[in-house]
């Protein structure tokens, strides 16, 4: 009996020891797993729907980035309006009723070319891809806003690699234009709205079943009539629009009087259009999301501060590298984004009591910019004692639009830039615009070097998160009155020919 009691007691003690070891190992495992969870992730988990922008109807595993993005990004200080949230839910229902695979879509497609018939509730705008991923993204967001304003269904040309870059944004339906759509490959200038105006081939008496909108940067005056109130009255009656643009034309939509009241209700803070619509619409596919999260966890997650530096090289003449590096250093050190360099002796007296780890993410087609920064902070100590680590995910050397992996890397880098605390971008670069707007950041913009010299001043601070519309209609056109009286549309900081949205409280 005593032997049995001793055996039971030993067994009980052994079980308690095993249980203790199990609890300790689980705690250690949990610590190991959560080591790379971004800062403030607790609050982020509570807002995985981004203030109501996103629908809860999706399967989370089919597109990890949709609901996980809040784990990697600080909560946005810019709440979407309830009117915008309601408008997005209404749009999703419209897309379900009229999108590909529905009877409504089938009827509308069959009636293409028949100018005498109406398609009822369902009207469409087809977005056609252009060269350059940044150009595509800013024009896609612009086209979606136009679809919201005019109650059209947005369909995306899938002949490019867009389906390998972004998840489906609308629940229970698809935004991809079916490959058998009748008009693809048959578009010609005879159905271009600008051409039809020029030749008097269109009038309110006969409404065509479709129109082609040419809104590329080299468009002509008749094409720009798209932004006139009178022309919109006619265009809104056309069942099918096919839009080809490489521009962020949102500022000129705000200058159309019939749109302005609706836009103010959708975006009480005027400079959040891309910030909200981009986060709603643009969710990287699982493959791209893997590129983003692996890089972030490996190189950025442990830093006390992160800085993004985006360098767009439009040309590469002799001395260009030196000029751009001078700009980067002038900006980052003058604005205290990076510490200055010093000698080891001076660092002893100037060293901060709590040095920080600063991670710098450089994106460029070329490796020289990151290599120069990395060498500087390796060979010399910083004046504050802060540690500066420089990373560049890729260096492709030249742009390769529609090469799937190249574009996936480019999208991953845009997204990673948008996750940084501060951002320096190249002027006129849509790549930088996308990163700035997604992140809700106001970047420091580097002017383009000209005449083989470093610009003076070398940079300017953006007053708005919004991209620049590089080639808006002339101010003496149909929007002259509204552009001169509207406080929330201004000339771009780095390109005075362009227009951008600002909040009315912001001043240039």
């Amino acid at each position: 009996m005593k032997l049995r009691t001793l055996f039971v007691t030993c067994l009980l003690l052994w079980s308690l020891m095993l249980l203790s070891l199990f609890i300790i190992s689980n705690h250690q495992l949990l610590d190991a797993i959560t080591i790379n969870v971004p800062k403030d992730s607790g609050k982020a988990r509570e807002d995985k729907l981004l203030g109501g922008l996103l629908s809860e109807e999706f399967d989370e595993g089919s597109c990890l980035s949709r609901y996980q993005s809040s784990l990697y990004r600080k909560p946005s200080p810019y709440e979407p309006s309830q009117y915008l949230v309601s408008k997005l839910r209404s749009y999703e229902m419209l897309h379900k009723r009229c999108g590909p695979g529905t009877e409504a879509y089938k009827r509308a497609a069959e009636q293409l070319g028949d100018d005498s018939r109406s398609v009822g509730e369902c009207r469409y705008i087809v977005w056609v891809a252009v060269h350059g991923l940044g150009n595509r993204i800013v024009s896609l967001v612009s086209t979606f806003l136009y679809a919201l304003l005019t109650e059209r269904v947005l369909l995306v040309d899938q002949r490019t690699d867009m389906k390998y870059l972004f998840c489906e944004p609308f629940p229970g339906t698809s935004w991809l234009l079916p490959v058998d759509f009748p008009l693809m490959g048959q578009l010609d200038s005879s159905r271009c709205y600008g051409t039809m105006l020029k030749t008097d081939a269109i009038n309110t008496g006969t409404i065509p079943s479709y129109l082609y909108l040419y809104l590329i940067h080299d468009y002509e005056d008749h094409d720009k009539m798209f932004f006139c109130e009178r022309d919109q009255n006619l265009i809104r009656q056309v069942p099918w629009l096919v839009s080809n643009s490489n521009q962020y034309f949102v500022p000129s939509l705000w200058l159309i009087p019939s749109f302005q009241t609706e836009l103010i209700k959708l975006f009480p803070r005027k400079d959040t259009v891309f910030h909200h619509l981009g986060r709603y619409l643009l969710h990287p596919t699982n493959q791209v999301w893997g590129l983003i999260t692996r890089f972030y966890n490996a190189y950025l997650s442990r830093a006390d501060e992160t800085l993004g530096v985006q360098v767009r090289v439009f040309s590469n003449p002799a001395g260009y590298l030196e000029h751009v590096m001078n700009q980067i250093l002038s900006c980052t050190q003058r604005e205290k984004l990076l510490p200055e360099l010093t000698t080891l002796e001076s660092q002893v007296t100037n060293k901060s009591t709590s040095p920080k780890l600063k991670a710098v993410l450089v994106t460029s087609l070329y490796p020289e910019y990151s290599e120069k920064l990395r060498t500087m902070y390796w060979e010399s100590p910083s004046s504050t004692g802060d540690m500066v680590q420089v990373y560049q995910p890729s260096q492709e050397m030249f742009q390769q639009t529609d090469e799937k992996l190249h574009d996936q890397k480019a999208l991953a880098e845009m997204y990673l830039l948008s996750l940084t605390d501060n951002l320096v971008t190249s002027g006129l670069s849509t790549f930088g615009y996308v990163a700035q707007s997604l992140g809700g950041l106001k970047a420091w913009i580097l002017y383009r070097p000209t005449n083989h010299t470093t610009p003076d001043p070398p940079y300017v601070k953006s007053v708005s998160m919004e991209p620049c519309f590089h080639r808006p209609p002339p101010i003496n056109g149909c929007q002259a009155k509204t552009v001169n009286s509207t406080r929330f549309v201004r000339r771009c900081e780095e390109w005075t020919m362009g227009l951008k949205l600002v909040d009315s409280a912001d001043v240039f």
Side-chain angles (χ1 to χ4, degrees):
M1 185 69 179
K2 289 182 180 179
L3 186 61
R4 182 182 296 177
T5 303
L6 181 62
F7 175 76
V8 171
T9 303
C10 290
L11 185 63
L12 182 61
L13 289 171
W14 178 250
S15 299
L16 288 172
M17 288 175 62
L18 286 175
L19 180 61
S20 299
L21 287 170
F22 177 76
I23 291 171
I24 291 170
S25 64
N26 267 328
H27 276 295
Q28 290 173 339
L29 179 61
L30 182 62
D31 289 341
I33 290 172
T34 57
I35 225 170
N36 286 338
V37 172
K39 300 181 283 288
D40 301 323
S41 61
K43 292 180 181 178
R45 282 193 189 95
E46 298 172 5
D47 192 30
K48 71 174 188 177
L49 301 181
L50 307 183
L53 281 178
L54 304 183
S55 167
E56 293 184 276
E57 294 185 35
F58 289 95
D59 167 50
E60 195 160 340
S62 64
C63 182
L64 296 173
S65 67
R66 192 188 322 273
Y67 298 133
Q68 288 184 9
S69 64
S70 58
L71 297 175
Y72 292 84
R73 194 185 302 285
K74 291 180 180 178
S76 173
Y78 310 104
E79 284 289 317
S81 70
Q82 285 306 303
Y83 189 75
L84 173 60
V85 170
S86 174
K87 189 82 171 179
L88 292 172
R89 299 294 87 81
S90 297
Y91 174 83
E92 290 164 2
M93 290 188 288
L94 174 67
H95 203 110
K96 283 182 182 178
R97 293 193 301 271
C98 301
T102 63
E103 283 300 316
Y105 172 83
K106 183 179 178 182
R107 285 195 304 271
E110 288 173 348
Q111 293 171 14
L112 272 167
D114 186 347
D115 294 346
S116 63
R117 300 175 67 179
S118 170
V119 293
E121 175 196 27
C122 302
R123 294 174 301 135
Y124 301 85
I125 183 163
V126 175
W127 174 85
V128 178
V130 294
H131 184 74
L133 184 57
N135 296 340
R136 289 179 177 180
I137 292 174
V138 297
S139 71
L140 178 58
V141 171
S142 303
T143 306
F144 179 60
L145 177 59
Y146 182 75
L148 279 182
L149 293 170
T150 56
E151 298 183 340
R152 290 181 179 273
V153 172
L154 171 68
L155 297 176
V156 170
D157 176 16
Q158 62 170 310
R159 293 174 300 172
T160 61
D161 59 8
M162 293 294 285
K163 63 184 176 183
Y164 301 110
L165 301 177
F166 299 108
C167 302
E168 292 279 0
F170 313 128
T173 183
S174 176
W175 70 340
L176 295 176
L177 181 73
V179 292
D180 60 354
F181 182 65
L183 293 183
M184 287 297 97
Q186 302 178 27
L187 292 172
D188 59 67
S189 61
S190 66
R191 282 291 185 134
C192 177
Y193 183 63
T195 302
M196 295 180 78
L197 283 179
K198 189 186 297 186
T199 59
D200 295 321
I202 188 170
N203 57 67
T204 54
T206 303
I207 303 299
S209 61
Y210 71 91
L211 281 176
Y212 172 48
L213 305 174
Y214 185 82
L215 303 176
I216 301 290
H217 65 277
D218 61 353
Y219 61 162
E220 298 180 352
D221 288 344
H222 283 89
D223 299 305
K224 297 171 185 174
M225 298 297 286
F226 168 79
F227 297 106
C228 296
E229 181 76 69
R230 184 190 65 183
D231 295 77
Q232 280 299 317
N233 291 334
L234 187 153
I235 291 170
R236 66 169 48 99
Q237 301 176 60
V238 179
W240 286 89
L241 300 177
V242 179
S243 175
N244 193 10
S245 175
N246 60 355
Q247 298 284 296
Y248 185 70
F249 55 81
V250 166
S252 285
L253 296 181
W254 280 79
L255 298 176
I256 299 174
S258 61
F259 291 165
Q260 207 170 90
T261 301
E262 181 78 353
L263 283 165
I264 291 171
K265 289 164 65 178
L266 289 169
F267 304 100
R269 168 125 191 166
K270 315 301 186 300
D271 64 347
T272 58
V273 177
F274 194 110
H275 181 59
H276 291 322
L277 295 187
R279 291 182 304 144
Y280 169 77
L281 202 63
L282 307 171
H283 306 289
T285 59
N286 287 351
Q287 185 173 356
V288 178
W289 188 239
L291 296 175
I292 294 166
T293 55
R294 286 190 294 273
F295 189 93
Y296 183 93
N297 289 331
Y299 303 112
L300 304 181
S301 62
R302 295 174 180 81
D304 298 301
E305 291 180 12
T306 55
L307 170 66
V309 179
Q310 180 259 338
V311 182
R312 174 69 166 98
V313 178
F314 292 95
S315 61
N316 201 13
Y320 194 90
L321 169 64
E322 179 186 353
H323 301 320
V324 175
M325 280 307 305
N326 288 340
Q327 290 178 268
I328 293 172
L329 294 176
S330 173
C331 175
T332 56
Q333 295 181 354
R334 190 181 300 175
E335 300 297 335
K336 309 299 182 185
L337 303 176
L338 289 177
E340 295 182 4
L341 300 178
T342 187
T343 62
L344 192 59
E345 294 76 17
S346 299
Q347 189 193 44
V348 173
T349 57
N350 296 332
K351 187 176 180 180
S352 169
T353 55
S354 54
K356 296 177 179 178
L357 173 60
K358 296 193 174 190
V360 183
L361 169 67
V362 178
T363 66
S364 175
L365 290 172
Y366 304 97
E368 291 87 353
Y369 302 96
S370 62
E371 289 173 357
K372 179 73 172 175
L373 275 175
R374 187 182 300 112
T375 300
M376 285 172 52
Y377 285 101
W378 179 42
E379 293 181 347
S380 301
S382 68
S383 59
T384 58
D386 293 340
M387 294 174 288
V388 178
Q389 297 180 340
V390 181
Y391 307 103
Q392 181 171 348
S394 71
Q395 37 199 270
E396 301 282 285
M397 300 306 292
F398 59 93
Q399 192 166 316
Q400 306 166 53
T401 302
D402 283 335
E403 199 285 310
K404 186 175 81 169
L405 183 57
H406 174 86
D407 281 347
Q408 288 179 326
K409 289 178 180 179
L411 176 58
E413 292 182 10
M414 287 183 199
Y415 207 96
L416 284 165
L417 286 170
S418 78
L419 300 178
T420 58
D421 298 318
N422 293 294
L423 185 60
V424 176
T425 65
S426 296
L428 297 176
S429 171
T430 52
F431 193 110
Y433 293 158
V434 172
Q436 169 181 273
S437 300
L438 282 178
L441 303 168
K442 295 179 181 178
W444 284 268
I445 304 170
L446 305 178
Y447 289 112
R448 287 179 66 176
T450 56
N451 301 322
H452 306 288
T453 59
T454 301
D456 185 20
Y459 66 93
V460 62
K461 179 68 184 289
S462 178
V463 298
S464 166
M465 299 172 282
E466 284 286 293
C468 175
F469 181 12
H470 291 158
R471 300 287 182 180
I475 58 172
N476 60 350
C478 63
Q479 295 190 335
K481 184 176 180 180
T482 47
V483 76
N484 290 325
S485 62
T486 301
R487 291 188 301 163
F488 43 82
V489 175
R490 295 287 186 271
R491 291 297 178 185
C492 303
E493 300 94 334
E494 82 277 30
W495 182 249
T496 56
M497 294 174 61
L499 292 178
K500 74 182 302 183
L501 284 169
V502 298
D503 194 66
S504 55
D506 293 328
V507 179
F508 266 80

